[in-house]
Each structure stands twice: as structure tokens, then as C-alpha cells.
Amino acid sequence: MTETIDIGMLGYRFIGKAHSNALARQAMFFPDGPEINRHTLIGRNEAELREAADRFGFDQVSTDWEDAIDSVDVFYNLGPNHLHEEPSIAALEAGVPVLCEKPLAPTLKTAERMRDAAADAAVPAGCAFNYRFVPAIQYAKGLIEDGEIGEIRHVRGRYLQDWLVDPDAPWAWRLDKELAGSGALGDLGAHTVDLVRFLVGEVTGEIDRLSGQLQTFVDERPVYDDDGEVTAHREVTVDDAYTAQLTFANGAIGTLEASRFASGHKNDHTIEVHGSKGSLRFSLERLNELEVLTGDARGYETVLVTDESDPYVEAWWPPGHVLGWEHTFVHENYEFLHAVSTGDVPDVLPTFEDGYAVQCVLAAIEASDERGERVAL
Ligand code: SOE
């Protein structure tokens, strides 16, 4: 790998800003990481690209991802789900490491092709499940794997948002099966499935049976012009919400759900784990805290996970100077770029293999919903 890693980034909206911010912070907060350069910002609209490139600190722009891949050392695919496959596989086939946003793909078949391309390429291929990089989540994983809460019996994950409660909320690519693959299931459920695998997978084994249901509450939405006038209505062809019941290889059971219709919940991702000797509880809305019940405690203790000994914290501020949502992207980028520069992929980094494993669970939930029965994975 060259001294300075030139990065090409496809996508420059909300998640593009999150990753650009993360890249901008590497040198200051993780000086042991590789030297990086925000080289090319890739998209379709040149004027918008140039404005975003100035704001995000990229040297140049390109409206041709194939061309751009040839001139960078690493490729970030932050495009909509239907654009994850082709550019990522092209980069991998060119020996260029890839960080692709979640979910890995809109369908299981696509995810399988991406996984196989990553296996053949033998360069780091990360799937950006950023919630693994919350210090409290990694602290929880340590407690579980150290046996602090005993045998795992229950896992409960839910991801609640409310941005579609308004029936006049505009149509978007996330609401189209061809473009997104699924709705709340793939957009939010993918995060929860990955976190569940990350937290308890070592001790429970994989999910081996499940049942699930998908529901769409509003089946078409308005398309607005720049003046806010409705110009058309488009069909919603994905789920607004899902639920699932899981059985793990070791007999533990779980329940998952996500919704975009949960009034009062903006970005409420919670995970609860119950074991034979205790329980853990995490909420993204209180992401510096982990609620812990172990030993003979009569109730949960709220641990503020901000000590220097806690994951990533010493890179930032003294104990108690809390972190935020954007810090998870800084940690994720540090781990990915460190893997690119050293060739060593740490277990914490979700790979295309992990992305595929998540996609298998999503596909099983869709199959169970279609068949109206429990399915084996
Ligand atoms: C959906 O609104 C969304 O932006 C997801 O796509 C992200 O993955 C999640 O982190 C926040 O919510």
C-alpha cells in the first residue's frame, strides 16, 4: 500500500457527510492510522458534487465511477442499495479495497456475488455497520464473552423511527423494492441483526430458525417538485415495519422489530440481552451508557462507558466527556483504513461475509412472511 491512501467516495449526501467527517478526524484523533487523502468524490450531478467536494475536503470530483476507481487506492460505496453491487465488485476485481454501506445488497443473490468477489479479491472489504463501533456495545460484547451474564437465553432488538408517520412524507428510493430491496427490514433491521450476531454470535452460534412478518401501512406517497407542489404519486413497494422471532443454535431465543412509523422515536435502536446470571440493556439514544445487571444485584446499574480503558475513548476526551453518533463512523473508518494499510482485518470490522450473513437473515424473514410459516436458515 502506498504511503498516502487516496480515497474515492461514491455518494455525498447524509452518509457521505458522516464518512467525510470521519475521514477529516483521523489524523487528529487517530495519528497511528495511515495517512489518507480525500481524493475523488463521485456522483451524477457535477454542480452538486463540486459544492459537496469543497465542503467535504475532496481534491476532485467524477461522474464516472469506473474511471474514478482506476485512480484511487480505496473505494467507499455509499450509494443507494441498488448501486452497491456493480461498483464494489469492479473495485474488488481491480484489487481496490472497498467499504460499502449497509445493507450489503438489496437481495440475497446480489449479496452472494459481492461476498464471492471479496473472497476472490483478498483485499479488505468492509460493510459499514457503524453501531459495532459504539464503545458501550464493545464493552457489552466483552461482558457477554467473559460469561458475566452466564448462558444467553434472550436477545431483544428493536429499531424505531418516525419519519414516515406523515402520509404526505415524500416518496424516496428507500421505499422502492427495486432500488432498496426492502424497507425498515433492510435499512434498520440489518443493523440490529448485525449487532445481535456481533454481541452474542460467539456464544449462541448463528440464528438457525425464525418466523417473521412485514407490513406496509401507506402504499403510495407523493412526489414533490422544487416548489413543494405534488407532481405525482408513487407506489411504496417495501415494508414500513417488520417483526421477527428467532431461535439460535444454542437454544437462545430472540425477538426483533423495526418501524418507520413509531411516533415519538427518532432513531431509537435498543438491544437487550438476558442470560442465566444477568442482563444487559443498550439504547442508541443514550449511547454512552450500558445498563448492566450481574451477580446478586437487585437491579440494573447504569455504567457510563467513557473511561480511558474503554474502546476508542482515550483517542477523544477525559472520562465523562461523552461521544456522539458521528464518532461511531470515526472509529469504523479507523479500523477499516488500518486494515487497508496493514492487511490485518480485525474481528470488529464487519466484512462482506458479515454483510452476507445479515442478508441471509433478512431473506429468511421475507420468506417466512411470504409463506406464513417458520423457516430454517
Ligand atoms: C434511515 O433513516 C437511517 O439513515 C439508516 O439508513 C441508517 O443506517 C441509520 O444509521 C440511521 O437511519
Side-chain angles (χ1 to χ4, degrees), residues 256-267:
L256 303 184
E257 65 171 315
S259 177
R260 293 162 162 172
F261 272 72
S263 309
H265 298 264
K266 294 301 175 190
N267 195 29

Side-chain angles (χ1 to χ4, degrees), residues 5-332:
I5 296 177
D6 285 336
I7 294 168
M9 181 182 286
L10 186 155
Y12 54 91
R13 300 198 190 285
F14 155 54
I15 288 292
K17 180 158 68 171
H19 282 285
S20 299
N21 171 62
L23 294 172
R25 273 151 184 70
Q26 292 301 311
M28 182 185 288
F29 291 94
F30 291 93
D32 65 325
E35 193 169 332
I36 58 174
N37 173 40
R38 282 160 274 164
H39 188 272
T40 306
L41 192 60
I42 306 159
R44 286 178 302 178
N45 180 311
E46 184 141 2
E48 286 182 10
L49 267 175
R50 291 203 179 284
E51 189 280 327
D54 289 344
R55 215 155 24 100
F56 296 171
F58 280 81
D59 296 341
Q60 60 192 57
V61 301
S62 171
T63 55
D64 179 341
W65 60 260
E66 286 180 284
D67 180 50
I69 283 172
D70 291 339
S71 56
V72 296
D73 301 312
V74 166
F75 177 62
Y76 280 47
N77 191 338
L78 314 181
N81 303 349
H82 70 285
L83 280 183
H84 286 184
E85 179 184 16
E86 193 182 359
S88 298
I89 291 179
L92 290 167
E93 287 176 346
V96 174
V98 174
L99 181 65
C100 180
E101 261 300 327
K102 43 53 63 182
L104 185 64
T107 67
L108 186 57
K109 277 281 172 234
T110 310
E112 189 175 7
R113 290 193 291 269
M114 293 175 75
R115 177 206 56 183
D116 294 346
D120 294 343
V123 293
C127 187
F129 289 110
N130 61 299
Y131 297 125
R132 288 190 180 199
F133 301 94
V134 176
I137 286 291
Q138 294 192 15
Y139 175 58
K141 180 180 174 68
L143 293 175
I144 290 167
E145 292 179 358
D146 290 349
E148 293 297 327
I149 63 170
E151 292 292 312
I152 304 304
R153 305 288 188 229
H154 289 273
V155 181
R156 192 173 305 108
R158 64 175 207 178
Y159 203 153
L160 305 180
Q161 296 182 340
D162 66 358
W163 57 282
L164 286 183
V165 170
D166 179 353
D168 294 330
W171 184 91
W173 69 262
R174 280 188 167 87
L175 308 183
D176 181 285
K177 190 167 184 62
E178 288 305 307
L179 302 177
S182 62
L185 176 68
D187 188 26
L188 304 178
H191 275 300
T192 311
V193 172
D194 179 68
L195 269 196
V196 164
R197 292 187 67 249
F198 180 62
L199 286 170
V200 304
E202 288 289 317
V203 294
T204 61
E206 292 290 353
I207 299 162
D208 65 13
R209 281 169 296 152
L210 64 78
S211 62
Q213 68 171 328
L214 308 179
Q215 184 61 284
T216 305
F217 301 115
V218 172
D219 53 16
E220 71 167 27
R221 288 193 176 269
V223 177
Y224 296 93
D225 64 17
D226 293 343
D227 300 323
E229 295 302 319
V230 176
T231 57
H233 281 80
R234 286 190 70 167
E235 193 185 1
V236 173
T237 53
V238 297
D239 56 291
D240 290 320
Y242 90 97
T243 66
Q245 294 186 83
L246 318 173
T247 306
F248 294 82
N250 79 331
I253 59 175
T255 53
L256 303 184
E257 65 171 315
S259 177
R260 293 162 162 172
F261 272 72
S263 309
H265 298 264
K266 294 301 175 190
N267 195 29
D268 181 12
H269 194 194
T270 58
I271 298 274
E272 297 174 344
V273 184
H274 304 301
S276 57
K277 294 195 303 185
S279 294
L280 301 175
R281 215 162 41 184
F282 169 81
S283 167
L284 182 61
E285 293 182 341
R286 303 170 69 95
L287 72 84
N288 290 279
E289 300 173 8
L290 184 71
E291 292 186 87
V292 181
L293 188 161
T294 55
D296 54 6
R298 293 181 56 189
Y300 284 97
E301 173 198 0
T302 299
V303 177
L304 192 60
V305 187
T306 61
D307 287 354
E308 281 98 343
S309 58
D310 289 313
Y312 308 114
V313 173
E314 67 176 347
W316 298 99
W317 321 112
H321 294 62
V322 294
L323 302 183
W325 181 80
E326 76 275 15
H327 294 83
T328 68
F329 287 85
V330 183
H331 306 158
E332 177 179 62

